[in-house]
Amino acid sequence: MRQTKLTIIFFSLLTLLSSCNFLKKSAGKEELSQIGKHLESVDKNQIDWKNKSQQYWKENLTPLQYYVTREHGTERAFTGDLLHIKDKGHYLCSNCGHELFDSHTKFDSGTGWPSFYDVHNKKNITLKSDRSFGMVRTEVLCSRCGAHLGHVFEDGPAPTGLRYCINSVSLIFKKD
């Protein structure tokens, strides 16, 4: 009962903040074409991603990407471009290109964010306790670069019972 009340309060707060334009607008077409551009000419496995400066991230990410992945923000529900993708492929970290999720584990949770019931490889993510907004949640981070991806909840479908609720701007979709 307490968890349900906290969830309602959390989503009410998110709605209020969104209406106050605290949560930044969704990425425009120009910004989306820039997502992942800094990954095209580098050997993703040879870079020390965790020691990149905030300046590097500000120069190479869109403002919304930076807000979500580096400042632990959240994109507005139902605004992400990857929410309705049904093609087969892989979802990579938009900051460093690390493979995170597979399309066959994606499902429609009705929450407004892309949701997955499992990860590509458990070593590719880091889970961390998140006590923000008066709630206890589990934050999902990219293990290679530390980017905030979203949260994982224990209300997902079989076989795992998990719901990885992930921000679209923290991902790049690569079609098979």
Side-chain angles (χ1 to χ4, degrees):
M1 185 68 172
R2 180 169 159 66
Q3 179 88 15
T4 303
K5 285 182 181 179
L6 288 174
T7 301
I8 291 169
I9 291 169
F10 172 72
F11 284 109
S12 297
L13 181 61
L14 278 179
T15 302
L16 176 65
L17 292 174
S18 178
S19 67
C20 295
N21 203 22
F22 179 79
L23 297 178
K24 300 192 170 124
K25 65 180 180 69
S26 62
K29 296 280 186 222
E30 291 173 16
E31 288 181 318
L32 289 174
S33 67
Q34 295 303 311
I35 292 177
K37 283 286 188 192
H38 68 284
L39 299 175
E40 292 176 359
S41 62
V42 298
D43 183 348
K44 293 176 271 311
N45 295 315
Q46 299 300 316
I47 293 177
D48 183 8
W49 291 103
K50 290 207 176 173
N51 288 319
K52 288 287 182 193
S53 69
Q54 293 305 329
Q55 187 62 32
Y56 173 85
W57 295 120
K58 283 182 180 180
E59 290 173 2
N60 288 287
L61 301 176
T62 68
L64 181 60
Q65 248 185 324
Y66 182 83
Y67 169 69
V68 170
T69 63
R70 296 288 139 196
E71 295 180 334
H72 303 263
T74 302
E75 66 190 2
R76 288 182 292 176
F78 301 102
T79 63
D81 287 338
L82 299 182
L83 179 61
H84 300 294
I85 297 282
K86 297 190 186 319
D87 296 332
K88 291 184 180 183
H90 301 281
Y91 293 85
L92 314 176
C93 175
S94 66
N95 287 208
C96 72
H98 211 29
E99 190 168 347
L100 302 170
F101 300 96
D102 298 313
S103 60
H104 70 274
T105 65
K106 188 176 183 204
F107 69 99
D108 183 2
S109 66
T111 61
W113 291 277
S115 297
F116 305 86
Y117 64 79
D118 206 357
V119 296
H120 173 73
N121 183 332
K122 299 238 186 282
K123 291 179 182 178
N124 293 5
I125 64 160
T126 300
L127 301 178
K128 180 179 164 190
S129 179
D130 178 0
R131 297 179 177 272
S132 62
F133 297 107
M135 302 175 68
V136 178
R137 301 176 293 167
T138 304
E139 181 180 17
V140 182
L141 303 159
C142 174
S143 64
R144 180 157 61 188
C145 70
H148 168 77
L149 306 170
H151 292 86
V152 62
F153 302 94
E154 294 180 351
D155 60 359
T160 64
L162 298 174
R163 173 175 54 94
Y164 290 88
C165 189
I166 307 298
N167 292 284
S168 283
V169 295
S170 67
L171 300 173
I172 298 171
F173 178 70
K174 291 290 185 186
K175 195 173 179 177
D176 282 348

